Amino acid sequence: KAKANGKHQVQLFTEALNAEANYKLFVENNLRRALTQNELEVFYQPKLCLKSGQLLGMEALLRWQHPEKGMIRPDQFISVAEETGLIIPIGKWVVRQACRMSKQIAAIGLGQLQVAINLSPKQFSDPDLVGSVAAILNEEQLDPRLLELELTESLLLEATEDTRHQLGRLKSLGLTLAMDDFGTGYSSLSYLKKFPIDVIKIDRSFIKDIPDNQDDMEITSAVIAMAHNLKLKVVAEGIETGAQLGFLRRQQCDVGQGYLFDKPISGRELIDSLRRYPCRPQADQRL
Ligand code: C2E
Ligand code: MG
Ligand code: MG
Ligand code: MG
């Protein structure tokens, strides 16, 4: 249809823009309510030690259960939450939920699991960010070593003196800082050394075509080797096949995450599966 004539294409384009604007408006109006009406839920995706197969922890991934539209994935609303500033209260809520989940798992004797939270750069514009993370850890009585924050490359790239200071304060609370989606932005490993980063997560785009894509395999093994030289731990995200797992294990990648092991699951499902397959990682096996 679209290629019938140029005029039609322009019309389709305009309609697409309108649809996008309407969608944004829809998200903006509904997201405010979502937080207060308990429509948001945190899902958890397990992270495993690739050497031992031991469960080390999980990543908190936000889900929105809209009463009419059903489940909405973060890619469809996080950017609007950032633009409107709603990411700040939502982000604090995620930190609290995640801390409670790790605490609850420990309380029922199912292990000391580290929980990772995604922070968007916008959250660093909140002068209260570090104070609120510290307050939540304290109120929920969670060992800070069990909390990991996943940051984006753009945060480091655009880091002001203020951001640098916030990262230093977060680090000195005793938590772990990870660089998410490594390789998709413009930062380099040497750049990472300027910030108190402990972990890098290789982006799924480098993993997905292993073992067919020779370049991706070379990039991945080089990144792992260089990260280890810089004393950084490496997580591979998006592992879906045994071949990918085998390759990453041979390259001594430390930690893995992906559909091969588990999709993101609700807190209840996580606890149910831990009851069936108990694991109790020791402190020295943690990431
Ligand atoms: P991310 O932090 O890079 O998370 C990984 C994404 O890849 C998740 O998508 C996860 O479900 C998906 N994934 C994991 N393993 C596999 C796999 O084997 N195959 C495939 N195809 N996908 C896999 P999700 O949950 O839709 O989240 C998308 C992004 O939204 C996240 O990317 C993160 O940047 C953002 N996000 C999620 N929750 C939050 C949050 O609480 N706060 C902020 N600021 N951002 C969040
Ligand atoms: Mg992440
Ligand atoms: Mg990622
Ligand atoms: Mg991502």
Side-chain angles (χ1 to χ4, degrees), residues 73-126:
R73 295 277 295 259
D75 288 335
Q76 293 174 279
F77 66 87
I78 291 287
S79 64
V80 180
E82 288 169 344
E83 283 167 37
T84 55
L86 278 167
I87 193 68
I88 291 172
I90 290 173
K92 287 178 188 169
W93 179 83
V94 172
V95 173
R96 190 178 296 278
Q97 298 307 306
C99 289
R100 284 186 181 164
M101 180 53 58
S102 175
K103 191 75 194 171
Q104 190 188 348
I105 289 168
I108 52 184
L110 295 173
Q112 300 266 308
L113 295 182
Q114 190 177 45
V115 67
I117 283 140
N118 292 285
L119 281 191
S120 80
K122 175 81 188 197
Q123 291 174 265
F124 284 79
S125 69
D126 173 14

Side-chain angles (χ1 to χ4, degrees), residues 88-199:
I88 291 172
I90 290 173
K92 287 178 188 169
W93 179 83
V94 172
V95 173
R96 190 178 296 278
Q97 298 307 306
C99 289
R100 284 186 181 164
M101 180 53 58
S102 175
K103 191 75 194 171
Q104 190 188 348
I105 289 168
I108 52 184
L110 295 173
Q112 300 266 308
L113 295 182
Q114 190 177 45
V115 67
I117 283 140
N118 292 285
L119 281 191
S120 80
K122 175 81 188 197
Q123 291 174 265
F124 284 79
S125 69
D126 173 14
D128 190 36
L129 172 68
V130 183
S132 59
V133 170
I136 294 168
L137 281 168
N138 186 41
E139 285 157 20
E140 303 301 332
Q141 289 288 297
L142 187 78
D143 180 344
R145 286 174 301 179
L146 293 178
L147 183 61
E148 177 172 354
L149 302 178
E150 295 190 2
L151 313 169
T152 67
E153 286 182 283
S154 62
L155 177 77
L156 300 198
L157 215 60
E158 292 154 18
T160 59
E161 206 36 60
D162 199 43
T163 311
R164 193 183 291 274
H165 187 63
Q166 284 170 305
L167 289 172
R169 286 173 61 211
L170 286 169
K171 185 68 201 147
S172 54
L173 291 177
L175 32 79
T176 306
L177 299 183
M179 171 59 37
D180 205 353
D181 303 331
F182 185 80
T184 55
Y186 297 96
S187 62
S188 64
L189 284 162
S190 68
Y191 200 85
L192 289 180
K193 264 323 244 189
K194 301 190 189 129
F195 297 90
I197 301 291
D198 312 285
V199 177

Side-chain angles (χ1 to χ4, degrees), residues 14-274:
T14 312
E15 279 170 14
L17 282 183
N18 279 333
E20 196 194 307
N22 285 337
Y23 182 73
K24 261 181 145 174
L25 209 59
F26 160 83
V27 171
E28 205 177 318
N29 292 335
N30 284 258
L31 200 52
R32 265 171 229 289
R33 193 199 59 207
L35 186 59
T36 53
Q37 300 291 108
N38 288 322
E39 292 172 22
L40 298 181
E41 184 174 357
V42 179
F43 272 37
Y44 298 90
Q45 187 180 31
K47 288 187 186 177
L48 281 78
C49 170
L50 291 187
K51 200 171 175 193
S52 66
Q54 173 98 273
L55 179 65
L56 297 172
M58 59 275 177
E59 177 176 6
L61 292 160
L62 196 54
R63 297 289 180 265
W64 178 7
Q65 203 62 57
H66 190 275
E68 289 120 42
K69 308 263 171 191
M71 165 103 75
I72 308 179
R73 295 277 295 259
D75 288 335
Q76 293 174 279
F77 66 87
I78 291 287
S79 64
V80 180
E82 288 169 344
E83 283 167 37
T84 55
L86 278 167
I87 193 68
I88 291 172
I90 290 173
K92 287 178 188 169
W93 179 83
V94 172
V95 173
R96 190 178 296 278
Q97 298 307 306
C99 289
R100 284 186 181 164
M101 180 53 58
S102 175
K103 191 75 194 171
Q104 190 188 348
I105 289 168
I108 52 184
L110 295 173
Q112 300 266 308
L113 295 182
Q114 190 177 45
V115 67
I117 283 140
N118 292 285
L119 281 191
S120 80
K122 175 81 188 197
Q123 291 174 265
F124 284 79
S125 69
D126 173 14
D128 190 36
L129 172 68
V130 183
S132 59
V133 170
I136 294 168
L137 281 168
N138 186 41
E139 285 157 20
E140 303 301 332
Q141 289 288 297
L142 187 78
D143 180 344
R145 286 174 301 179
L146 293 178
L147 183 61
E148 177 172 354
L149 302 178
E150 295 190 2
L151 313 169
T152 67
E153 286 182 283
S154 62
L155 177 77
L156 300 198
L157 215 60
E158 292 154 18
T160 59
E161 206 36 60
D162 199 43
T163 311
R164 193 183 291 274
H165 187 63
Q166 284 170 305
L167 289 172
R169 286 173 61 211
L170 286 169
K171 185 68 201 147
S172 54
L173 291 177
L175 32 79
T176 306
L177 299 183
M179 171 59 37
D180 205 353
D181 303 331
F182 185 80
T184 55
Y186 297 96
S187 62
S188 64
L189 284 162
S190 68
Y191 200 85
L192 289 180
K193 264 323 244 189
K194 301 190 189 129
F195 297 90
I197 301 291
D198 312 285
V199 177
I200 64 165
K201 292 188 78 173
I202 301 179
D203 191 65
R204 188 173 73 85
S205 59
F206 296 100
I207 308 300
K208 73 175 181 4
D209 296 326
I210 294 174
D212 302 320
N213 188 315
Q214 195 65 35
D215 289 344
D216 287 347
M217 297 208 286
E218 269 156 32
I219 292 167
T220 300
S221 54
V223 166
I224 294 169
M226 283 191 282
H228 284 164
N229 283 335
L230 294 170
K231 307 275 183 290
L232 299 166
K233 288 256 167 116
V234 187
V235 182
E237 61 176 32
I239 304 174
E240 295 186 353
T241 69
Q244 292 164 351
L245 173 62
F247 174 78
L248 291 162
R249 292 190 73 202
R250 284 192 297 280
Q251 303 307 313
Q252 332 255 300
C253 182
D254 304 284
V255 179
Q257 196 181 8
Y259 293 172
L260 179 66
F261 310 119
D262 269 301
K263 291 201 168 180
I265 49 179
S266 70
R268 165 136 306 279
E269 287 173 294
L270 178 67
I271 287 181
D272 285 347
S273 82
L274 286 173

